[in-house]
């Protein structure tokens, strides 16, 4: 099952009371212990969130009517577009549930009741960790628990297509499905252009730099290798895409930087850029130039060796002696 709408109910029934078949692929579920729940791909609609938006107080019950009206407006808008929608609320009143089921029917989508098998004692105790404006009185929690237990056997008769417990949902498959679809889109396997030459860029530096990345076509700065720029305001970084590192066919990026040997040298010098941290170090002046190589002076190790010609000659003599022996 892959419902287009999930209309949730209740939070307090013990899992042992579940007598209904459990669909394999519900789109999402609610978590009342952390109300309001945030869903990355399926926005949850919560009355407490609407109260907070309208009155700056999620616990202000006087604002409930306005909050519910706003929630219904959003619900209708999403269901019109066949969007999976979570109503994150206890929904212990039969009339409230009936309105949600009717909304699903009007738009031709399934209605699913998702229940939490949370003991009433735990529900009450969790209120102590909430801020005063979000804490629900213990008597109210107990009343909701009792109402949910009473309503549970008749939920199918109220028109819900599925009645399931959150702790028995199969969640890994839809997660992997979204990850697979994202990968296929990145590679252009879904019929769209994909990331193309930016795929490696994102893999190395992350999503943040992608909007700032620009390939500099025809540049000779890197000896024929492809050159790119990351520009924002007055800051600019230049990078070269190396496609045969160490002659072994490995891919990677080098960052254009200053010569590590001669402060007055203006020749290009390159240092390996392994991640976005390398770029940050370059901007802040914290870049380690140990592996930096100037196209004229070489690297720091080459320079240190040139500063001691007598020592190098002595090593060469020792090597010759060893060969002769």
């Amino acid at each position: 099952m892959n419902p287009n709408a999930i209309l949730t109910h209740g939070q307090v029934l013990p899992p042992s009371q579940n007598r209904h078949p459990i669909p394999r692929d519900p789109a999402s579920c609610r978590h009342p212990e952390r109300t309001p729940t945030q869903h990355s791909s399926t926005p949850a609609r919560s009355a407490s969130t609407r109260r907070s938006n309208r009155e700056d107080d999620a616990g202000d019950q006087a604002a409930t009517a306005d909050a519910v009206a706003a929630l219904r407006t959003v619900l209708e808008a999403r269901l019109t577009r066949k969007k999976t929608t979570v109503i994150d609320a206890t929904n212990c009143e039969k009339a409230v549930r009936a309105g949600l089921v009717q909304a699903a029917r009007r738009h031709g989508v399934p209605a699913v009741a998702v229940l939490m098998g949370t003991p009433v004692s735990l529900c009450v105790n969790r209120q102590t960790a909430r801020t005063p404006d979000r804490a629900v009185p213990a008597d109210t929690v107990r009343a909701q628990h009792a109402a949910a237990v009473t309503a549970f056997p008749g939920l199918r008769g109220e028109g819900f297509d599925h009645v399931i417990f959150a702790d028995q949902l199969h969640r890994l498959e839809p997660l992997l499905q979204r990850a697979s679809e994202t990968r296929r889109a990145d590679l252009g396997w879904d019929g769209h252009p994909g990331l193309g030459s930016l795929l490696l860029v994102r893999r190395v530096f992350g999503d943040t730099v992608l909007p700032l990345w620009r390939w500099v076509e025809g540049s000779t700065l890197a000896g024929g290798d492809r050159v790119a720029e990351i520009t924002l305001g007055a800051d600019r970084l230049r990078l070269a895409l190396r496609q045969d590192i160490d002659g072994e066919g490995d891919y990677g990026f080098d960052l254009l930087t200053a010569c590590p040997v001669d402060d007055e040298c203006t020749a290009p010098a390159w240092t390996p850029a392994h991640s976005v941290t390398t770029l940050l170090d370059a901007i802040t002046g914290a870049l380690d130039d140990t592996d930096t190589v100037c196209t004229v002076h070489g690297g720091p190790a080459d320079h240190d060796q040139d500063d001691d010609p007598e020592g190098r000659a002595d090593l060469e003599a020792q090597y010759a002696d060893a060969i002769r022996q």
Side-chain angles (χ1 to χ4, degrees):
M1 184 194 74
N2 186 16
N4 290 319
I6 289 187
L7 311 177
T8 65
H9 157 77
Q11 65 188 46
V12 293
L13 297 183
S16 60
Q17 294 187 22
N18 186 13
R19 295 291 186 274
H20 299 288
I22 300 170
R24 286 194 53 80
D25 299 316
S28 57
C29 68
R30 60 187 292 278
H31 301 267
E33 65 272 21
R34 297 191 301 274
T35 303
T37 302
Q38 298 297 321
H39 298 272
S40 59
S41 61
T42 306
R45 301 302 162 190
S46 165
S48 61
T49 301
R50 297 298 167 187
R51 281 195 297 267
S52 178
N53 291 343
R54 184 157 180 87
E55 298 293 335
D56 295 326
D57 183 354
D60 183 2
Q61 300 303 310
T64 297
D66 288 343
V68 170
L71 184 149
R72 288 175 177 169
T73 299
V74 176
L75 173 64
E76 290 292 331
R78 289 184 60 81
L79 294 188
T80 297
R81 292 178 290 140
K82 306 297 184 186
K83 295 288 186 179
T84 299
T85 305
V86 176
I87 302 300
D88 185 5
T90 52
N91 296 325
C92 292
E93 300 83 2
K94 185 174 182 178
V96 172
R97 297 193 299 271
L100 297 177
V101 172
Q102 291 169 9
R105 294 290 176 268
R106 283 196 303 274
H107 295 282
V109 298
V112 181
V114 180
L115 301 100
M116 301 291 181
T118 311
V120 64
S121 58
L122 183 56
C123 292
V124 172
N125 289 338
R126 282 175 172 165
Q127 303 307 312
T128 62
R130 290 184 166 190
T131 56
D133 64 321
R134 286 191 173 274
V136 180
D139 290 346
T140 301
V141 174
R142 292 190 179 95
Q144 290 175 339
H145 180 279
V149 171
T150 301
F152 170 63
L155 291 178
R156 278 297 189 93
E158 292 182 15
F160 284 98
D161 299 282
H162 303 277
V163 179
I164 59 178
F165 280 84
D167 61 354
Q168 294 175 312
L169 291 173
H170 297 273
R171 303 178 186 177
L172 186 57
E173 182 177 339
L175 175 67
L176 296 179
Q177 179 67 33
R178 289 194 297 272
S180 176
E181 290 172 355
T182 299
R183 174 177 175 272
R184 292 179 64 83
D186 290 345
L187 295 173
W189 291 356
D190 63 347
H192 294 86
L195 287 177
S197 61
L198 292 178
L199 188 62
L200 182 62
V201 176
R202 191 182 69 174
R203 185 179 302 167
V204 176
F205 302 113
D207 289 323
T208 304
V209 305
L210 290 186
L212 310 176
W213 188 277
R214 183 180 70 87
W215 291 107
V216 183
E217 303 300 342
S219 174
T220 59
L221 181 63
D225 286 334
R226 201 172 187 187
V227 174
E229 292 183 350
I230 299 175
T231 305
L232 184 61
D235 295 325
R236 181 175 66 169
L237 296 174
R238 292 180 178 176
L239 298 103
L241 171 59
R242 307 301 189 185
Q243 302 185 59
D244 190 18
I245 297 175
D246 296 331
E248 297 181 0
D250 293 333
Y251 286 76
F253 290 93
D254 281 346
L255 175 67
L256 182 67
T257 186
C259 176
V261 176
D262 185 351
D263 292 340
E264 297 182 359
C265 176
T266 59
W270 301 95
T271 192
H274 301 294
S275 70
V276 70
T277 302
T278 305
L279 308 183
L280 175 62
D281 289 344
I283 291 293
T284 60
L287 194 64
D288 183 2
D289 64 3
T290 303
D291 296 326
T292 302
V293 176
C294 174
T295 53
V296 171
H297 296 94
D302 298 328
H303 180 66
D304 292 341
Q305 194 176 56
D306 289 342
D307 281 345
D308 187 16
E310 293 181 0
R312 185 172 69 256
D314 184 60
L315 289 174
E316 291 173 353
Q318 293 179 36
Y319 176 77
D321 290 340
I323 293 297
R324 284 194 295 269
Q325 293 176 1

